[in-house]
Amino acid sequence: AEPATEIWSILRTLFGLQRRRFLIAASELDLHPAQAGALMNMTPDVPLPMHELASLLACDNSNVTGLIDRLEARGLVERQPYEQDRRVKHVVLTARGASLRERLATTVGPPAGLAELSATEQRQLRDLLRRVAGG
């Protein structure tokens, strides 16, 4: 097979395995996969405009509203008005949300195979994947 085809096949397998780990971890934390995805796209202490979260999750703003409603009801996030434009709402992780996010991130961290690469190989792979991703 062409090297590019083989690489893509390996990446699809890796993504599938990681997705399975992610779904199991989300379930164990009593999170819907979309809720877990939202938490993973947030950074503690960094407010995120809800429309940007929608872009990161590749969904409509209206879907994010319902998603944030459910996370907020569980005390994992809170909405904050944006001082420059009160129509814009930012969402921020609460301490409880940041803790749950950390547990999720630890559970679904990098695959074990990456640790088998040297630091130099890891940087090379990172740089190559950045090039492939266009940035």
Side-chain angles (χ1 to χ4, degrees):
E2 294 281 328
T5 302
E6 187 176 357
I7 291 166
W8 187 234
S9 177
I10 293 166
L11 286 173
R12 282 195 320 270
T13 299
L14 182 60
F15 295 153
L17 293 171
Q18 287 297 99
R19 176 151 176 78
R20 179 172 165 72
R21 288 178 61 206
F22 178 81
L23 294 173
I24 290 168
S27 177
E28 289 173 351
L29 295 172
D30 195 29
L31 292 168
H32 183 279
Q35 293 173 331
L39 293 178
M40 291 302 294
N41 278 286
M42 298 176 68
T43 303
D45 301 319
V46 178
L48 180 66
M50 288 182 56
H51 68 272
E52 285 186 28
L53 182 57
S55 292
L56 291 169
L57 296 174
C59 68
D60 290 336
N61 290 350
S62 60
N63 292 345
V64 169
T65 298
L67 184 61
I68 295 303
D69 286 345
R70 290 184 290 281
L71 290 172
E72 193 170 38
R74 291 185 58 184
L76 301 175
V77 301
E78 61 184 31
R79 288 178 173 93
Q80 297 177 344
Y82 181 53
E83 292 180 18
Q84 286 79 0
D85 185 347
R86 294 188 56 80
R87 296 170 296 173
V88 176
K89 296 291 185 208
H90 282 191
V91 62
V92 65
L93 291 168
T94 63
R96 186 172 172 212
S99 175
L100 194 63
R101 182 198 181 282
E102 181 60 32
R103 287 176 54 199
L104 183 60
T106 299
T107 303
V108 294
L114 285 179
E116 296 175 14
L117 301 177
S118 70
T120 299
E121 290 171 326
Q122 289 178 24
R123 282 190 293 277
Q124 289 172 334
L125 179 58
R126 177 203 60 203
D127 294 345
L128 289 169
L129 289 172
R130 278 184 180 162
R131 280 181 49 201
V132 170

